[in-house]
Amino acid sequence: MSTTTTSPLLIQLRENPLAPFIYMPEQTISYEMVAHWVSSIIFQLQQADIPHESRIGWIEDNPLHSVLLQLACLHGNWIYCAISPHLRGQALHQALQTIHADVMISSSYLDNGDTLSLSWQYQPTEICLQPRCDFDQWVDMVLTSGSSGEPKAVIHSWQNLYYSATGSNTLIELNKGDCWLASLPLFHVGGQALIYRALLSGASIALGFESLEKALDNFPITHLSVVPTQLYRLLKLETFHSNTLQLKHILIGGGPCNEMQLQMTLKRGFIAYMSYGSSEMSSQVATRIVGQGQGAGTLLPYRELKIHHNEVLLKGMTLSPGYFKAGQFFPLTDEQGWFHSGDCGDYINDQLMINGRLDQMFICGGENIQPEEIEMALLNHPQILAATVVAITDEEYGKRPVAFIKSNDALTRASLDNFLKPKLSAFKRPVYYFEQPKQAGLKVQRTQLIRWLNQLTDYSSVEIQ
């Protein structure tokens, strides 16, 4: 098997030069323009004597520049290390320590002056893309805290990104003329993965929109990635319908989704997909078409899994080489090459079922409780849009479940208890219900909810009555 590929941007430059690669509100950028633009950035990095395989830290809130720098790193053999531009204080300090960048590119977020300035002005220039990309080449590092809360960087090689995109495209077909909306942050693996899906397919991406609604109205978008919160917002729009949009494919990830939302998505004429993935596996691992199969769905090509002691173990062409933290490399597999995901699951009839996290399970009166089981039961309620369950300390039982919910209408504690009675044993039913507080980002962080609970002296003042 070949250990290199022709640089993907060179392939599109040869086969697809005038086709749009990036749609933005103010301009449409062809593959040929992107090749010139990326070459200009590569030339500047070379002129600054940045050695190959250096870690280039990036902390700008500019999606176009993010994509261009990411492609420059791929085609010039550097490592793209994006940090959320929303981080401040200690969180930013920890992120910077973790990636341990050889050079930083930033305009205003850093106190020190150890940064490199680039010219982002477009100008046709000589194409200087490396002709081939090595599968072993490290292309990017993505920050993740995982269950520990300690930031670490997940390394992705070109092999990981190539086979992640290729495997995804076998189920969610992406072709020339299609456009995937960059609706997820480009400093996360889900946002970065769609760039390579489009690049390898000759398709396009859409960037720089004010809202999902405006983007769908103004761009020829056929594919969309969302978390359940984003899907909920879209379904509130009467115009969100396949008859009025070019959109056909919706990939949903980031957590369980209300079944009514899924059915409503299908009724509006879209093809919806539920997905299970991780940064360590370079985004998607398993995916199913809503209405077909169960759970997380079918394992995508180039991925392997097995269930060991109820835990999902993973390997394959998309598995990261390892973690990076503060200048040191850490392997992430056991002696047999398996990555222990920390997820509880079953694999039955080629369908992956995720039952929860090993590190989130707690014991209540001697019984094991998986918070995700309670969350799924709550999500079957027609008025509940999101649910997160955490444990609180209890003198009698050890731990008891507490639920945070987001709903369409005001719900009472009594009505929620009655709804769950036929679905869950008494010890699994929450002892308190709270409205889900607003949090930064699209995914609810359990650690933040627990921290919020610990600050309360009286639950009765804020719980749902």
Side-chain angles (χ1 to χ4, degrees):
M1 183 171 57
S2 174
T3 58
T4 66
T5 68
T6 300
S7 294
L9 192 49
L10 280 178
I11 293 175
Q12 299 306 332
L13 183 62
R14 182 177 65 243
E15 300 179 356
N16 211 22
L18 301 181
F21 181 37
I22 300 175
Y23 286 100
M24 300 191 71
E26 64 275 9
Q27 63 180 329
T28 299
I29 306 171
S30 68
Y31 273 100
E32 185 176 60
M33 292 177 66
V34 169
H36 284 294
W37 219 330
V38 168
S39 294
S40 173
I41 296 169
I42 291 174
F43 179 74
Q44 292 179 69
L45 293 171
Q46 291 172 339
Q47 287 294 102
D49 292 325
I50 307 301
H52 291 308
E53 301 181 4
S54 294
R55 294 178 300 280
I56 297 180
W58 172 250
I59 189 167
E60 288 285 346
D61 193 10
N62 186 309
L64 174 59
H65 295 174
S66 297
V67 173
L68 294 174
L69 182 58
Q70 192 169 342
L71 293 177
C73 288
L74 169 63
H75 293 88
N77 194 12
W78 294 286
I79 305 169
Y80 174 78
C81 307
I83 294 175
S84 168
H86 309 300
L87 294 181
R88 297 293 187 274
Q90 181 63 21
L92 175 58
H93 178 71
Q94 286 185 325
L96 291 169
Q97 281 191 323
T98 298
I99 66 168
H100 198 65
D102 297 299
V103 62
M104 287 295 305
I105 300 178
S106 175
S107 60
S108 59
Y109 292 97
L110 302 179
D111 295 331
N112 61 60
D114 188 20
T115 60
L116 174 68
S117 295
L118 297 178
S119 171
W120 297 99
Q121 185 71 33
Y122 172 75
Q123 51 183 307
T125 186
E126 181 181 355
I127 302 298
C128 61
L129 311 175
Q130 65 179 16
R132 300 193 68 80
C133 297
D134 192 316
F135 272 146
D136 290 333
Q137 170 189 337
W138 290 7
V139 177
D140 69 37
M141 298 197 306
V142 175
L143 284 170
T144 179
S145 60
S147 59
S148 67
E150 289 285 330
K152 53 183 178 272
V154 179
I155 301 161
H156 294 129
S157 67
W158 175 230
Q159 171 184 281
N160 299 154
L161 300 172
Y162 178 87
Y163 284 107
S164 175
T166 304
S168 174
N169 289 352
T170 61
L171 181 63
I172 309 175
E173 193 172 346
L174 187 68
N175 299 305
K176 293 179 181 179
D178 289 335
C179 179
W180 204 307
L181 176 61
S183 53
L184 300 177
L186 292 174
F187 50 83
H188 286 168
V189 68
Q192 293 181 14
L194 68 90
I195 298 171
Y196 299 107
R197 293 176 200 155
L199 181 62
L200 292 175
S201 305
S204 58
I205 57 176
L207 299 171
F209 52 90
E210 292 182 14
S211 68
L212 291 180
E213 182 179 6
K214 288 186 177 181
L216 292 171
D217 288 339
N218 296 312
F219 292 132
I221 292 162
T222 57
H223 294 65
L224 174 65
S225 298
V226 293
V227 297
T229 299
Q230 291 173 307
L231 180 62
Y232 161 70
R233 294 170 184 168
L234 289 171
L235 289 171
K236 292 179 69 176
L237 304 174
E238 293 184 2
T239 56
F240 186 64
H241 199 288
S242 63
N243 291 340
T244 59
L245 299 169
Q246 295 188 52
L247 178 66
K248 302 302 176 189
H249 302 272
I250 302 176
L251 176 62
I252 306 162
C257 189
N258 182 297
E259 185 62 31
M260 289 189 65
Q261 292 181 38
L262 294 177
Q263 295 307 314
M264 189 181 301
T265 303
L266 298 185
K267 287 180 181 179
R268 296 202 186 184
F270 301 111
I271 304 172
Y273 308 82
M274 291 298 297
S275 181
Y276 163 75
S278 70
S279 297
E280 289 84 356
M281 287 295 287
S282 311
S283 191
Q284 289 169 267
V285 172
T287 302
R288 73 175 172 94
I289 301 175
V290 175
Q292 302 179 20
Q294 296 179 338
T298 305
L299 189 70
L300 293 174
Y302 312 113
R303 289 84 162 157
E304 300 176 47
L305 74 77
K306 70 176 181 179
I307 307 299
H308 182 67
H309 296 312
N310 296 322
E311 183 181 13
V312 178
L313 273 54
L314 300 163
K315 67 164 55 173
M317 306 296 278
T318 68
L319 179 60
S320 161
Y323 296 119
F324 187 89
K325 185 172 181 179
Q328 296 187 31
F329 173 83
F330 300 91
L332 51 71
T333 61
D334 62 20
E335 294 179 353
Q336 287 73 44
W338 290 98
F339 168 61
H340 292 241
S341 70
D343 293 315
C344 304
D346 297 298
Y347 195 58
I348 304 171
N349 298 325
D350 293 328
Q351 297 286 310
L352 175 61
M353 310 292 291
I354 300 298
N355 303 321
R357 291 280 306 171
L358 289 173
D359 53 14
Q360 289 167 4
M361 186 186 75
F362 59 92
I363 299 175
C364 174
E367 299 284 353
N368 292 339
I369 291 184
Q370 202 71 53
E372 291 84 353
E373 179 187 1
I374 306 172
E375 292 166 1
M376 289 303 299
L378 286 166
L379 283 173
N380 286 321
H381 192 292
Q383 299 300 321
I384 292 180
L385 307 171
T388 306
V389 172
V390 299
I392 60 171
T393 301
D394 183 90
E395 290 185 2
E396 182 178 359
Y397 291 90
K399 298 283 187 180
R400 300 297 300 273
V402 169
F404 291 84
I405 63 172
K406 181 177 181 180
S407 62
N408 276 321
D409 298 313
L411 297 172
T412 66
R413 177 186 177 124
S415 67
L416 290 167
D417 282 339
N418 288 333
F419 175 78
L420 291 180
K421 276 183 180 178
K423 299 175 175 59
L424 296 173
S425 301
F427 69 92
K428 293 183 179 180
R429 296 198 291 271
V431 292
Y432 298 106
Y433 297 93
F434 302 99
E435 290 187 11
Q436 193 165 283
K438 291 184 179 180
Q439 294 184 307
L442 293 170
K443 291 180 67 173
V444 173
Q445 299 296 319
R446 296 176 194 270
T447 54
Q448 293 183 32
L449 296 177
I450 293 171
R451 194 178 303 120
W452 181 82
L453 279 172
N454 289 338
Q455 293 172 350
L456 294 176
T457 57
D458 181 14
Y459 292 155
S460 62
S461 61
V462 290
E463 69 172 309
I464 295 173
Q465 299 299 318

